[in-house]
Amino acid sequence: VFLYFLEVTDRWRVSDTENLLPMIDYHIIRLFCRTGCLEVQEEGLRQKLLRKEEVTPEEEQLLRESSFQIRQQLATVFDVPERGELLYLLSRSYCRNAPVCVSGNKPENDSFDLYTGGAFTGTCPLQKWCPGACHATYRDLWEPMIQTENY
Protein backbone atom coordinates (compact mmCIF):
# COMPACT_ATOMS: atom_id res chain seq x y z
CA VAL A 1 0.00 0.00 0.00
CA PHE A 2 2.87 2.35 0.81
CA LEU A 3 4.47 1.81 -2.61
CA TYR A 4 1.09 2.33 -4.28
CA PHE A 5 0.70 5.60 -2.39
CA LEU A 6 4.13 6.75 -3.58
CA GLU A 7 3.25 5.92 -7.15
CA VAL A 8 -0.18 7.62 -7.26
CA THR A 9 1.29 10.75 -5.69
CA ASP A 10 3.99 10.83 -8.41
CA ARG A 11 6.82 10.43 -5.89
CA TRP A 12 7.98 7.14 -7.40
CA ARG A 13 7.31 5.08 -10.54
CA VAL A 14 7.36 1.33 -10.93
CA SER A 15 9.38 0.41 -13.99
CA ASP A 16 8.78 -3.35 -13.87
CA THR A 17 5.11 -3.74 -12.97
CA GLU A 18 5.21 -7.41 -14.02
CA ASN A 19 7.31 -8.10 -10.92
CA LEU A 20 4.95 -6.40 -8.48
CA LEU A 21 3.26 -8.69 -6.00
CA PRO A 22 -0.40 -7.91 -5.41
CA MET A 23 -1.41 -6.56 -2.03
CA ILE A 24 -3.63 -8.88 -0.05
CA ASP A 25 -5.46 -7.36 2.87
CA TYR A 26 -8.63 -8.29 4.71
CA HIS A 27 -10.82 -6.35 2.26
CA ILE A 28 -9.59 -8.52 -0.62
CA ILE A 29 -10.00 -11.75 1.35
CA ARG A 30 -13.58 -10.78 2.29
CA LEU A 31 -14.40 -9.89 -1.34
CA PHE A 32 -13.01 -13.18 -2.66
CA CYS A 33 -14.98 -15.17 -0.07
CA ARG A 34 -18.22 -13.36 -0.83
CA THR A 35 -17.85 -13.58 -4.61
CA GLY A 36 -17.04 -17.28 -4.48
CA CYS A 37 -13.56 -16.79 -5.92
CA LEU A 38 -12.25 -18.25 -2.68
CA GLU A 39 -14.25 -21.26 -1.53
CA VAL A 40 -13.71 -22.01 2.15
CA GLN A 41 -14.02 -25.80 2.28
CA GLU A 42 -12.97 -26.41 5.87
CA GLU A 43 -16.16 -26.10 7.92
CA GLY A 44 -14.44 -24.96 11.13
CA LEU A 45 -12.78 -22.05 9.34
CA ARG A 46 -15.98 -21.25 7.47
CA GLN A 47 -17.87 -21.02 10.77
CA LYS A 48 -15.22 -18.70 12.22
CA LEU A 49 -15.61 -16.37 9.23
CA LEU A 50 -19.40 -16.45 9.52
CA ARG A 51 -19.31 -15.71 13.25
CA LYS A 52 -16.50 -13.14 13.00
CA GLU A 53 -14.39 -15.22 15.36
CA GLU A 54 -10.61 -15.06 15.64
CA VAL A 55 -8.71 -17.37 13.31
CA THR A 56 -5.31 -18.93 13.86
CA PRO A 57 -2.25 -17.44 12.16
CA GLU A 58 -2.10 -20.58 10.01
CA GLU A 59 -5.71 -20.14 8.88
CA GLU A 60 -5.10 -16.50 8.06
CA GLN A 61 -1.97 -17.42 6.10
CA LEU A 62 -3.92 -20.02 4.13
CA LEU A 63 -6.57 -17.43 3.21
CA ARG A 64 -3.91 -14.88 2.23
CA GLU A 65 -1.97 -17.36 0.11
CA SER A 66 -5.14 -18.52 -1.63
CA SER A 67 -6.13 -14.91 -2.29
CA PHE A 68 -2.66 -14.19 -3.64
CA GLN A 69 -3.01 -17.07 -6.11
CA ILE A 70 -6.43 -15.80 -7.19
CA ARG A 71 -5.01 -12.32 -7.77
CA GLN A 72 -2.22 -13.72 -9.92
CA GLN A 73 -4.70 -15.78 -11.93
CA LEU A 74 -6.93 -12.75 -12.51
CA ALA A 75 -3.95 -10.75 -13.75
CA THR A 76 -3.05 -13.55 -16.17
CA VAL A 77 -6.59 -14.14 -17.43
CA PHE A 78 -7.21 -10.44 -18.06
CA ASP A 79 -3.63 -9.80 -19.23
CA VAL A 80 -3.09 -6.82 -16.97
CA PRO A 81 -0.56 -6.16 -14.22
CA GLU A 82 -2.48 -6.57 -10.97
CA ARG A 83 -1.58 -4.00 -8.38
CA GLY A 84 -4.93 -4.31 -6.71
CA GLU A 85 -6.46 -0.87 -6.82
CA LEU A 86 -9.81 -1.81 -8.32
CA LEU A 87 -10.50 -4.87 -6.19
CA TYR A 88 -9.28 -3.17 -3.03
CA LEU A 89 -11.37 -0.05 -3.63
CA LEU A 90 -14.43 -2.05 -4.68
CA SER A 91 -14.24 -4.23 -1.60
CA ARG A 92 -13.89 -1.33 0.82
CA SER A 93 -16.60 0.69 -0.89
CA TYR A 94 -19.33 -1.76 -1.92
CA CYS A 95 -18.77 -4.97 0.03
CA ARG A 96 -18.34 -4.12 3.70
CA ASN A 97 -20.67 -4.18 6.69
CA ALA A 98 -23.84 -3.61 4.71
CA PRO A 99 -23.13 -4.83 1.16
CA VAL A 100 -24.73 -2.61 -1.45
CA CYS A 101 -26.17 -5.67 -3.23
CA VAL A 102 -28.67 -6.24 -0.42
CA SER A 103 -28.87 -2.91 1.38
CA GLY A 104 -29.44 -0.80 -1.72
CA ASN A 105 -27.65 1.98 0.15
CA LYS A 106 -24.86 4.08 -1.26
CA PRO A 107 -21.39 2.56 -0.77
CA GLU A 108 -19.84 3.02 2.66
CA ASN A 109 -16.88 4.68 0.98
CA ASP A 110 -16.72 6.51 -2.35
CA SER A 111 -13.12 5.58 -3.21
CA PHE A 112 -14.06 3.10 -5.97
CA ASP A 113 -16.32 5.56 -7.76
CA LEU A 114 -13.75 8.34 -7.41
CA TYR A 115 -10.99 6.11 -8.80
CA THR A 116 -13.04 4.90 -11.77
CA GLY A 117 -14.66 8.25 -12.47
CA GLY A 118 -18.06 6.60 -12.23
CA ALA A 119 -21.11 7.42 -10.22
CA PHE A 120 -23.14 5.19 -7.95
CA THR A 121 -25.89 3.52 -10.01
CA GLY A 122 -27.80 1.87 -7.18
CA THR A 123 -26.10 -1.52 -7.49
CA CYS A 124 -22.71 -3.10 -6.99
CA PRO A 125 -20.67 -3.48 -10.21
CA LEU A 126 -20.39 -7.24 -9.50
CA GLN A 127 -24.02 -7.75 -8.50
CA LYS A 128 -25.22 -9.52 -11.67
CA TRP A 129 -22.90 -12.52 -11.20
CA CYS A 130 -21.73 -12.41 -7.56
CA PRO A 131 -23.00 -15.33 -5.44
CA GLY A 132 -23.00 -13.07 -2.38
CA ALA A 133 -25.67 -10.88 -3.96
CA CYS A 134 -28.08 -13.84 -3.96
CA HIS A 135 -26.92 -16.19 -1.22
CA ALA A 136 -26.31 -15.36 2.44
CA THR A 137 -23.99 -18.39 2.66
CA TYR A 138 -21.47 -16.31 0.69
CA ARG A 139 -22.50 -12.79 1.69
CA ASP A 140 -22.23 -13.45 5.42
CA LEU A 141 -18.59 -14.51 5.22
CA TRP A 142 -16.27 -12.04 6.88
CA GLU A 143 -12.56 -11.39 6.67
CA PRO A 144 -10.31 -13.35 9.01
CA MET A 145 -10.27 -11.85 12.48
CA ILE A 146 -6.76 -11.90 13.90
CA GLN A 147 -4.66 -9.88 16.31
CA THR A 148 -1.96 -8.30 14.14
CA GLU A 149 0.39 -5.39 13.84
CA ASN A 150 1.08 -6.10 10.16
CA TYR A 151 -0.78 -3.04 8.88
Side-chain angles (χ1 to χ4, degrees):
V1 173
F2 176 70
L3 295 177
Y4 170 68
F5 170 77
L6 289 176
E7 186 177 22
V8 298
T9 58
D10 289 325
R11 290 182 171 87
W12 178 67
R13 281 283 167 226
V14 177
S15 60
D16 59 342
T17 56
E18 68 280 357
N19 292 316
L20 277 179
L21 299 177
M23 63 179 174
I24 304 296
D25 77 339
Y26 63 91
H27 292 296
I28 297 295
I29 296 171
R30 182 182 62 245
L31 181 74
F32 284 167
C33 287
R34 289 179 175 177
T35 58
C37 293
L38 175 56
E39 289 280 351
V40 180
Q41 301 293 327
E42 203 280 303
E43 189 57 30
L45 176 55
R46 183 173 182 73
Q47 289 303 313
K48 287 180 183 180
L49 297 177
L50 287 168
R51 295 183 195 134
K52 299 181 185 177
E53 294 175 352
E54 191 166 328
V55 300
T56 67
E58 295 78 19
E59 290 169 326
E60 185 217 14
Q61 186 62 30
L62 175 66
L63 292 168
R64 284 187 186 276
E65 288 174 3
S66 298
S67 296
F68 179 82
Q69 292 171 0
I70 292 165
R71 294 287 296 274
Q72 288 184 311
Q73 290 171 1
L74 288 173
T76 301
V77 167
F78 293 106
D79 194 28
V80 294
E82 178 49 59
R83 295 182 303 190
E85 299 92 358
L86 286 175
L87 292 174
Y88 171 74
L89 296 172
L90 178 76
S91 61
R92 68 186 295 264
S93 297
Y94 283 80
C95 197
R96 289 183 83 170
N97 297 311
V100 171
C101 59
V102 291
S103 72
N105 297 331
K106 289 183 74 173
E108 294 179 45
N109 180 298
D110 62 357
S111 58
F112 179 79
D113 293 332
L114 289 173
Y115 184 83
T116 61
F120 178 58
T121 62
T123 62
C124 172
L126 306 181
Q127 192 162 329
K128 289 182 180 177
W129 63 266
C130 176
C134 304
H135 305 287
T137 55
Y138 288 94
R139 182 176 53 253
D140 292 344
L141 291 169
W142 199 246
E143 68 260 9
M145 305 301 285
I146 191 164
Q147 297 295 322
T148 184
E149 297 295 325
N150 293 334
Y151 293 99

